[in-house]
Structures are given as structure tokens and as C-alpha cells.
Amino acid sequence: MKDEAIVVMCAVGGRDEAAAIAQALVEGRLAACVQMMPIESWYRWDGAVQHEPEVMLHIKTMRHRFGALCAAIEARHSYDVPEIVALPVTDAFPGYLDWVRQSVG
């Protein structure tokens, strides 16, 4: 399924970090589009429940770019264990899928 479109979710610690990652991914043709949304997260870390504001990135790309995309995120991400989760796109407007394919090469 090398030609499968995916949406990657990645939470980051702030807007500046999110913008730097988004810019690098689109400029590097690892993503066709990156959307940034403010969120609040509750999670367990270091044995305690944490609550923090974060920025969620929704990254549109193709499955064959996932490894390089992960490496690019990891190189710029401030977390010890970044959330990088890929979800398959099961249905989409054909013209949109063509645009994603052309954008990431």
C-alpha cells in the first residue's frame, strides 16, 4: 500500500514548535498540508497524571513518506516520546488524493 494516503497526528508543546515542524515537512515535500489546532491533553507521564495545553498537527501525506516524516519530526520535537500516529485515508475526493500524491512526490 505504498500509494496509500494517510493522516498523521502529532501533538507538540507549543505554536512555535508546531510551526517549525509544519514548515519543514511541507518544504521537504514530506507532507502536502499540515493543520495546527490548539488542544488540551491529559496523560500519564513519570507516574503522574499531567494536564497541558498542546498543539495538534494533522499532517496529510502518503504512506511511503512515513519513515522520513517521522525522522523529520523527531529531529525537531521537544518531547522524549513524541506522538506520531498514522491513520489510513479510506475514502476521499479523488482530486484531493491526486493533489496529496503530487505534493509529496
Side-chain angles (χ1 to χ4, degrees):
M1 289 291 209
K2 176 183 166 189
D3 198 40
E4 179 183 23
I6 58 175
V7 174
V8 178
M9 298 179 348
C10 179
V12 300
R15 186 165 176 75
D16 290 344
E17 182 178 5
I21 290 171
Q23 182 84 24
L25 296 179
V26 175
E27 282 184 354
R29 299 184 67 88
L30 298 173
C33 173
V34 180
Q35 297 169 316
M36 298 173 27
M37 293 149 281
I39 60 168
E40 287 186 59
S41 293
W42 285 260
Y43 56 94
R44 183 170 301 280
W45 188 254
D46 289 334
V49 174
Q50 310 288 328
H51 173 230
E52 299 289 338
E54 293 183 295
V55 176
M56 178 62 72
L57 300 176
H58 281 185
I59 304 160
K60 285 61 165 226
T61 190
M62 301 301 290
R63 181 167 302 283
H64 73 276
R65 301 300 272 160
F66 184 72
L69 183 138
C70 284
I73 291 172
E74 187 177 17
R76 293 165 178 82
H77 207 292
S78 62
Y79 294 176
D80 293 335
V81 182
E83 171 192 6
I84 307 172
V85 178
L87 305 171
V89 175
T90 58
D91 289 302
F93 179 68
Y96 178 80
L97 290 177
D98 288 343
W99 172 76
V100 172
R101 279 187 201 96
Q102 291 170 4
S103 295
V104 299

